Amino acid sequence: MQWKTDWGLRFRMFVTMFLLFALFIVFAGALSVYFFGGSIFVMVVLFGSFSLAQWFFSDRLTLWSMGAREVSEEEYPELHAAVGRLAQQADLPKPTVAVADSRTPNAFATGRSKNKAAVCVTDGILRTLDRDELEGVLAHELAHIKNRDMMVMTLASFLSTLAFIVVRWGWLFGGGRRNRQGGGGIIVAILVSLVVWILSYVLIRALSRYREYAADRGGAAISGKPGALASALLKISGTMDRIPEEDLREEAEMNALFIIPIEKGFIGRLFATHPPTEKRVERLRELERQMETV
């Protein structure tokens, strides 16, 4: 495997984390004053508990939210063999292998580190792709783990999730005697949280688009078959149009993790977590031509 460090991805991850940290300071300050009535201790306990739970259990929580389960080698021998072989080629520990009961053909990787990672595929993708195409997709997911962008996405989603919780449910828990600002303070806290959520949402998606290109390149390096990944992307993208709308809506919140996002319409494209499939395929075809001339 000819693996090259993607410094463009590393720079973008650093900038994203720096900006998200700045947003977190503003967010924490606003909540401390307007939501918790200046009680820093309560805020630290709540934020600390939430962040530790997400950090240590992010892989299990993600699999649970998708209705996925860890599978054994006896249940899925070919899938385990492919993941193990590709992980060895990528110089990675073999991740947990999971399968989600879903007709939607998709796959994702999750986890906070190389040693605490999981690769999940849906029943739909197992039925849709041939062996080479599936290995191309698995190599793409392993590239996410090797690039460590899953760790960054785990940390980044923490702030976005907290802000969204305050926006949606803050009016239920704010106020009372502890809130020195009264009802107006709650409104300020919710408005600040809304701004933080929108900005973190945009930052995460900007990083997510680039990391997909990086994972495509990395997956091609791991499997040595960029054409197989390109074929898989086209096949998955075409199959999405035949999936019932209700099934797509149930899984849309996982877009940032999927190899192909679930999104429709202008707004969906504007805030897309992934670059257009056509552009990804075009780059993979070009990479395939380059590899053939070497």
Side-chain angles (χ1 to χ4, degrees):
M1 182 189 67
Q2 298 296 320
W3 185 266
K4 295 181 180 179
T5 301
D6 194 319
W7 294 106
L9 176 62
R10 290 197 175 185
F11 174 75
R12 285 167 173 79
M13 289 194 296
F14 172 79
V15 171
T16 299
M17 292 306 298
F18 176 81
L19 293 176
L20 285 171
F21 179 75
L23 279 176
F24 179 79
I25 296 299
V26 174
F27 178 61
L31 289 192
S32 175
V33 174
Y34 295 106
F35 197 78
F36 293 106
S39 178
I40 298 178
F41 175 76
V42 175
M43 186 186 68
V44 169
V45 170
L46 290 176
F47 277 30
S49 300
F50 190 89
S51 60
L52 287 175
Q54 188 177 39
W55 176 254
F56 286 107
F57 302 106
S58 60
D59 53 341
R60 297 184 181 276
L61 289 172
T62 302
L63 294 176
W64 174 80
S65 67
M66 270 294 296
R69 65 183 182 89
E70 183 178 346
V71 295
S72 66
E73 293 188 34
E74 289 74 20
E75 294 176 280
Y76 290 85
E78 293 184 4
L79 178 61
H80 265 275
V83 172
R85 183 172 60 256
L86 291 168
Q88 186 176 29
Q89 291 174 201
D91 193 25
L92 288 171
K94 183 183 176 182
T96 296
V97 179
V99 174
D101 182 15
S102 171
R103 287 181 290 175
T104 306
N106 239 316
F108 64 89
T110 184
R112 67 180 186 272
S113 68
K114 294 179 179 180
N115 294 316
K116 292 291 183 179
V119 171
C120 178
V121 297
T122 64
D123 287 328
I125 203 171
L126 293 176
R127 291 192 296 265
T128 302
L129 304 183
D130 63 29
R131 192 175 81 171
D132 285 347
E133 291 167 341
L134 180 60
E135 288 191 0
V137 168
L138 293 173
H140 170 99
E141 301 305 334
L142 290 173
H144 279 308
I145 298 172
K146 192 169 182 67
N147 284 331
R148 293 186 173 89
D149 59 51
M150 293 309 309
M151 175 184 66
V152 176
M153 293 299 289
T154 298
L155 294 172
S157 63
F158 163 69
L159 176 60
S160 178
T161 302
L162 277 180
F164 179 74
I165 290 174
V166 175
V167 170
R168 187 168 185 176
W169 304 109
W171 61 277
L172 289 176
F173 301 100
R177 295 179 180 179
R178 291 189 307 168
N179 194 312
R180 301 173 184 174
Q181 308 296 328
I186 301 172
I187 295 175
V188 172
I190 291 176
L191 289 176
V192 171
S193 300
L194 177 62
V195 172
V196 169
W197 177 64
I198 292 173
L199 292 177
S200 60
Y201 184 94
V202 172
L203 285 172
I204 290 172
R205 272 142 187 77
L207 173 62
S208 183
R209 291 178 203 146
Y210 186 89
R211 81 187 188 102
E212 290 305 319
Y213 281 133
D216 285 346
R217 293 191 295 270
I222 293 171
S223 69
K225 301 175 182 178
L229 177 55
S231 176
L233 293 177
L234 289 173
K235 191 177 289 187
I236 296 171
S237 182
T239 305
M240 286 290 191
D241 295 333
R242 301 194 296 271
I243 300 297
E245 192 72 26
E246 58 271 20
D247 289 357
L248 297 181
R249 282 198 299 268
E250 288 178 2
E251 301 173 12
E253 292 183 3
M254 298 287 292
N255 267 348
L257 297 182
F258 288 147
I259 189 169
I260 289 286
I262 300 170
E263 54 200 20
K264 293 185 179 180
F266 172 74
I267 297 298
R269 291 190 295 270
L270 181 63
F271 293 104
T273 57
H274 292 49
T277 301
E278 295 77 12
K279 290 187 177 180
R280 295 173 66 184
V281 169
E282 181 182 340
R283 294 192 180 194
L284 285 167
R285 297 297 190 197
E286 177 60 30
L287 184 58
E288 183 178 37
R289 287 191 289 270
Q290 293 176 8
M291 293 175 68
E292 288 176 349
T293 59
V294 174

